[in-house]
Amino acid sequence: PVVCEGTAHNGIRSATIASVSAQYEFTKTRFQPYVMAGLGVLRSRSVWSTARVVGSRVDLSEDELRDTGFGPDLGAGLRFDLMRNVSIQPEVRWLDASVRSRLNLAVTRLSVRAAYSW
């Protein structure tokens, strides 16, 4: 029997997103829905492990890939005015960064922003 001890790593280690988008606001009420569209870039660093058994020996190797892709960045949200100058904005955004990406990158983001305006 072959016994293999060690840790295998698989998956995305880090991701950085940058995007430029325009936002369209539907109404000027206390609850203000909006949509946005633009172009985004996603850079990632991924790692995966491979085990090869040769006789009674196990070779464990780890590979790393850095990838960059870009594509459309789409989203929607709701601006809720708490007070005259304070609001919160829950939103969902989707970035399809598969253009020039070897890993066919895409990401969905959920966020809540707090804003103060003057």
Side-chain angles (χ1 to χ4, degrees):
V2 176
V3 177
C4 180
E5 293 183 15
T7 304
H9 300 103
N10 289 301
I12 295 177
R13 290 292 200 205
S14 65
T16 304
I17 299 170
S19 63
V20 175
S21 60
Q23 181 172 313
Y24 177 78
E25 299 168 348
F26 290 105
T27 61
K28 287 287 186 188
T29 62
R30 190 169 179 194
F31 295 98
Q32 186 174 23
Y34 60 90
V35 293
M36 63 184 68
L39 183 65
V41 176
L42 174 58
R43 295 185 60 130
S44 69
R45 186 173 63 88
S46 304
V47 66
W48 64 91
S49 299
T50 306
R52 290 183 181 84
V53 178
V54 179
S56 63
R57 193 179 85 222
V58 177
D59 291 329
L60 186 62
S61 65
E62 189 170 278
D63 295 305
E64 182 179 275
L65 176 65
R66 294 174 188 265
D67 197 17
T68 302
F70 69 93
D73 187 15
L74 308 171
L78 179 68
R79 179 182 171 141
F80 175 64
D81 292 329
L82 296 174
M83 294 183 282
R84 179 181 162 155
N85 297 338
V86 178
S87 65
I88 59 171
Q89 294 175 277
E91 71 179 32
V92 59
R93 293 178 78 162
W94 176 68
L95 171 59
D96 177 16
S98 58
V99 177
R100 301 200 38 92
S101 167
R102 292 175 281 180
L103 297 176
N104 197 23
L105 298 173
V107 65
T108 301
R109 298 167 282 172
L110 301 171
S111 64
V112 177
R113 291 187 280 177
Y116 177 79
S117 60
W118 61 91

